[in-house]
Every structure is written in structure tokens, then in C-alpha cells.
Amino acid sequence: MNMINLLLFPIIIPFFFAMILLFFKEQVVIQRVLTVIGLALSLVASIWLLVTVKAEGIQTVTLGSWPAPFGITMVSDMFSALLVTTTILITFFVVLYSFQSIGIERERFFYYPAILFMITGINGAFTTGDIFNMFVFFEVLLIASYLLIVLGGEKRQLRESIKYILVNVISSALFVIAVAYLYSIVGTLNMADISVKIAEINQPGIISVLAILFLIVFGIKGAIFPLYFWLPGSYAAPPIPVLTLFGALLTKVGVYAITRTYTLFFVHDIGFTHQFLLVLSLLTIVAGCIGALAYFDLKQIIIYNIIIAVGVILFGVAQMNTSGLEGAVYYLIHDMLIKAALFVLIGIIIYVTGTSNLREMGGLIKSHAALGWFYLIAAFGLAGIPPLSGFIGKLLIVKGGFEADNAFGSIVLLVSSLVVLLSVIRIFIYAFWGPQNPDYPLPVTSKRTYRQLMAPAVLLVLVTVAYGVGTEWLMPYISDASDVLRDPSIYINAVLKE
């Protein structure tokens, strides 16, 4: 079997299954079965790809057999292979969770094809080695997300979706403009080639301006300060499985794009570009912390924690040293997993209590003890209590901050961990520990549905625990990923085969 195809499998398989699913609009059972098969095959392909990249180094394929930088190149280094695998794994669990939670009406209306098309776009964006192609894959995942955000057509969904679509259309327009400017300066769209050409022209001021323009474009997608204003409302509108996919995956594509461009292209004027990124990342953390403490709504508390995490990861990227970048890669994957687990768990809490308002809950630990304890494990993981996965990533990022003489930023990061802990423990205290409020009796829910919702949630939490406890085994992979970010020549030589 040709290695070339292997790299494309995690993109082609979901796309192929999404196409087939369009023909089975009414047959929900067939849709479910095909979706699970498609995701399982994609997962096998992505793990195989991961092992291949580890053994043989960066894999590249140029479409239409044009040599790079003339053809469109797809590149799978360790960073993108890890993200692709994590994406498919999370989607697999969310789809299992959807069977009981999304409702037949939505399932009949292209829910599963939309998810698979979205995964196609996300994995494509992670794997492409061409900046314009990245824009194309962004559009693929966005168009699928537009369907998912309005699916079901509730009034609130439609209102929030207008904002979501507007913001993304504007950011897409800016993206094309930024790519056009970049092309006019360096005359190429291949990401490795852009890096070479920028080094040749020695990054004049215009490139630094472009760096900020790209930061705005990807910052809107990744929800950095002050461009995150659209996120809390838009993400809270759709049902929980959709929110889980958005929260765990979509913002991370923006974060990935910032990380990739700021470690591959814009590396000659670090004093300006990365300092700017550093300041924005810290402001993002502060803004997220304020939101996480301000709300008494389950969804909003975890949604603001997405914003905090974006700041934490980009703070690591801004350091541009080994510890910072290793921490950023590790924390990015940790955050995808832990957010998925938390959103799925709060979905179950909302299902059991019939509300997402913390003030209307209480006493769940008596009736749903397992839910409480698994939620607590996930909450500790998010806040970075050792030996769970949040701890190692934050430790590396903080270490990177101190090594780069950004002690203030590292301290902000450590303080934010306390805020995160406070915000998620508050959910535990109100919903589980506090007394049951007699004014709000628990609605009647089915035991069977509860069990079926718990299965994927428990598995996801166990995956996050394994990710933290198994750090020693995973570290070679994380180091490989951060090496490519720290030393762009590894990426450039693999693509241009010099």
C-alpha cells in the first residue's frame, strides 16, 4: 500500500462516508452504523499515520505529482498527526453520545454528514502544507458548522447563528486578503517555500504587519482577546453534542494556524510579533477567567474555560523555546480531550436536572454518584491537579515562561489555574454537594438513556486520565512535534526535499 495515500486517509475517509450518508436521510440506524464505521476506519488510519511519522519522519504528498512548491502539498508532521488522531477520537465518542442526546429530528436532517464534512475540513486544515489550501479547508469545516449550529431551528440558535456566520464570513474575507498580500510579497503559497522566501528577504516591516493581520484572522477563529466576543453566545446555542465538537475542535484549528504560521513564517522579528502574541494571550486568559467566574450557567462556565485555554496555549507558543513549545503542544491536545469530556458530562447534568442554571440544582451526589465523581476527575484535570494531564502541560509552559524571562506571564498562568479550579469546583459544589432545592424537583429521566450517555463520557474521562498518567510514553511524540515547531528547517527540508 502506498504511503502517499496513508496521509490523505484521515481526510478522505470521513469525506467519502459523508457523501454516502447523504443518500440515507431518513434511515437513522443506517446513518449511525455508517458514521461509526467511518470514524473507526479513520481512527485506525490516523494511528497508523502517527506510527509511520514517528518511524520515518515527516510524510509529504504533492497532489497531481507537481513538485513542491508548485503543486499543492499535504504535509503530515508529528504535530498535525497528533491533532488529526485526537480530532477523530473525540468525534467518535461524541457521535456515540449523540445517539441518545441529539434527537431523531436532528439526526434525520443531515446531522452525521455535517459532522463528517466538518472533520474533513478540520483534518485537512491540520494536514495542508499550502496556505491557500488551508483557507479552503477552513471554509469546508465552517460550512458544515453553519449547518450544525442552526440544526433544529430553535429561536435562540437562529439568532446566535447569524452572529457566528457574520463573524466567520468577515474573518474568511480577511484571510483571503492576508494570503493575497503574502503572495504579492513572496510569490508562493507553499508554506515551506514561504518560510524560505521570507528568510531571503529578511522580513521587512510589511511582513510584521502581515503577521499581525494573520493573527487577527486566526484570532477570530481561535477566540483570542479581544476577538472572542462572538464565542460564548454562539457556542451556547446549539445542543450539547454540537457544542462539544465546537468547543473541543473548532477553536483549536485557529490556535493551530497561529502556532504553525508563528513558528514557520514569522520568526525573524520575534521581539515584535511574539511579544504582541504574548500580551494578547495573557489578556485572553484574564478575560476568560472573568467570564468563568461571572456566570452561573453550566455551559457558559466551561465555554469561558475554552477562552482561558486558548490564552495558555498561545502563551507557550510565544516563548519560542523548547519547554514553551512542548508545553503548548501537550496542552493543546490535553485541552481538546478534557473539554470534550467536560461538555459531555455537563450535558448529562443538564439532562438529569432539566436546567443549566447552577442555582436550580443540588443533591445530585445522592442520586447520580458516578456522574459526580467522574465530573470531579475531569474538573481536576482541567485545573491541572497532578498527575492529571493539565498539570504537565502547564508546568512546561510556565517553565518556558521563566526561561524566556517572562516571569510575570508565568505567574498569571499559575493564578489562572486557581480561577479555573474555582469555576469548575463551583459546579461540583452547587450541583452535587449542595442540598436539593425543593422548588426544583428532578425531572423524570430514563435510567437506560442515562447509562448510554454515561458510557462515552466515562471513556473520554479515562482517556484524559491515561493521557496524564502516560506522559512518559507520550513525551517522545510531543518532543518530535515541538522540534518541528522550534526548528522550521526540519519541515522545510521534508517538503522541498533539499
Side-chain angles (χ1 to χ4, degrees):
M1 172 166 226
N2 197 337
M3 273 348 276
I4 285 180
N5 302 352
L6 180 59
L7 192 158
L8 297 174
F9 274 156
I11 305 165
I12 290 171
I13 297 172
F15 183 69
F16 175 69
F17 274 86
M19 302 283 269
I20 294 173
L21 286 178
L22 294 176
F23 297 104
F24 297 103
K25 182 170 183 257
E26 298 299 322
Q27 290 94 329
V28 169
V29 176
I30 297 180
Q31 287 213 34
R32 289 177 177 182
V33 172
L34 283 176
T35 307
V36 169
I37 294 171
L39 286 168
L41 289 173
S42 308
L43 189 59
V44 171
S46 67
I47 291 170
W48 192 8
L49 176 63
L50 201 63
V51 173
T52 308
V53 172
K54 182 74 186 128
E56 299 175 15
I58 299 178
Q59 301 291 312
T60 62
V61 47
T62 42
L63 305 179
S65 67
W66 284 82
F70 306 108
I72 289 179
T73 315
M74 303 298 275
V75 185
S76 195
D77 61 350
M78 188 52 83
F79 187 36
S80 87
L82 283 168
L83 289 172
V84 165
T85 308
T86 313
T87 298
I88 295 171
L89 186 68
I90 289 170
T91 311
F92 186 76
F93 287 127
V94 173
V95 163
L96 292 178
Y97 180 82
S98 298
F99 294 167
Q100 287 301 325
S101 60
I102 195 82
I104 288 283
E105 280 311 303
R106 284 190 170 96
E107 285 181 295
R108 281 216 181 101
F109 213 88
F110 304 117
Y111 171 69
Y112 296 113
I115 288 181
L116 291 176
F117 279 128
M118 191 166 90
I119 299 307
T120 306
I122 291 171
N123 287 345
F126 287 151
T127 312
T128 182
D130 182 287
I131 191 78
F132 185 75
N133 216 22
M134 184 186 270
F135 165 75
V136 175
F137 279 120
F138 266 49
E139 292 309 297
V140 172
L141 72 90
L142 284 171
I143 289 165
S145 75
Y146 297 156
L147 170 61
L148 287 170
I149 201 169
V150 296
L151 202 58
E154 294 163 11
K155 190 173 173 188
R156 179 181 181 196
Q157 269 179 282
L158 295 172
R159 188 181 66 233
E160 289 295 343
S161 66
I162 293 171
K163 184 166 74 178
Y164 175 76
I165 291 171
L166 266 178
V167 163
N168 277 303
V169 166
I170 291 167
S171 99
S172 295
L174 282 173
F175 195 170
V176 176
I177 293 167
V179 169
Y181 276 138
L182 187 62
Y183 183 73
S184 71
I185 295 164
V186 295
T188 178
L189 292 170
N190 180 296
M191 281 153 69
D193 203 30
I194 291 172
S195 184
V196 174
K197 295 281 196 291
I198 288 179
E200 283 169 7
I201 58 173
N202 207 1
Q203 185 140 357
I206 183 78
I207 298 280
S208 299
V209 174
L210 269 184
I212 303 303
L213 185 57
F214 272 104
L215 185 61
I216 292 169
V217 170
F218 299 138
I220 295 175
K221 305 253 196 278
I224 63 171
F225 180 90
L227 306 167
Y228 67 89
F229 60 89
W230 57 274
L231 183 130
S234 298
Y235 277 23
I240 288 286
V242 175
L243 163 59
T244 309
L245 288 172
F246 281 17
L249 305 177
L250 287 195
T251 43
K252 306 303 180 291
V253 182
V255 172
Y256 164 81
I258 292 173
T259 307
R260 181 64 86 195
T261 51
Y262 268 63
T263 53
L264 189 59
F265 310 163
F266 307 120
V267 289
H268 304 279
D269 188 11
I270 288 183
F272 173 67
T273 50
H274 289 60
Q275 203 56 38
F276 192 74
L277 181 64
L278 181 102
V279 172
L280 283 187
S281 68
L282 291 174
L283 289 171
T284 307
I285 294 173
V286 173
C289 286
I290 293 168
L293 291 179
Y295 282 92
F296 269 85
D297 181 274
L298 283 183
K299 289 183 182 177
Q300 293 291 357
I301 292 172
I302 310 292
I303 286 171
Y304 273 99
N305 271 299
I306 299 175
I307 296 168
I308 299 174
V310 168
V312 171
I313 297 160
L314 292 178
F315 179 78
V317 173
Q319 306 314 318
M320 286 301 273
N321 55 22
T322 308
S323 304
L325 289 169
E326 275 186 2
V329 173
Y330 186 91
Y331 199 85
L332 176 59
I333 294 167
H334 143 80
D335 194 65
M336 291 165 80
L337 292 166
I338 205 83
K339 288 298 190 302
L342 278 168
F343 278 123
V344 169
L345 286 163
I346 64 164
I348 303 174
I349 298 174
I350 293 169
Y351 169 73
V352 168
T353 56
T355 174
S356 64
N357 184 346
L358 273 182
R359 294 192 175 93
E360 296 175 15
M361 299 179 189
L364 282 182
I365 203 78
K366 292 191 192 72
S367 53
H368 298 84
L371 177 60
W373 297 123
F374 274 102
Y375 171 78
L376 197 62
I377 294 169
F380 282 161
L382 179 68
I385 307 283
L388 299 167
S389 54
F391 171 70
I392 298 110
K394 269 205 182 132
L395 187 70
L396 283 167
I397 291 173
V398 166
K399 181 169 169 251
F402 280 118
E403 284 169 8
D405 293 330
N406 290 322
F408 174 74
S410 292
I411 290 163
V412 170
L413 216 71
L414 292 168
V415 173
S416 78
S417 298
L418 294 174
V419 176
V420 170
L421 184 62
L422 186 64
S423 72
V424 284
I425 287 300
R426 204 172 58 173
I427 296 179
F428 183 75
I429 289 170
Y430 269 85
F432 293 96
W433 220 243
Q436 168 75 47
N437 189 334
D439 299 340
Y440 301 104
L442 290 180
V444 179
T445 51
S446 122
K447 275 273 176 17
R448 182 168 161 269
T449 304
Y450 170 71
R451 278 200 300 274
Q452 284 173 327
L453 289 175
M454 275 301 281
V458 167
L459 287 169
L460 257 174
V461 174
L462 293 176
V463 168
T464 67
V465 173
Y467 183 62
V469 175
T471 308
E472 208 172 320
W473 291 285
L474 292 165
M475 228 41 215
Y477 292 84
I478 304 290
S479 301
D480 279 8
S482 73
D483 286 346
V484 177
L485 297 178
R486 204 184 69 256
D487 181 5
S489 63
I490 303 175
Y491 184 94
I492 294 164
N493 295 341
V495 176
L496 301 179
K497 305 213 168 27
E498 289 175 357

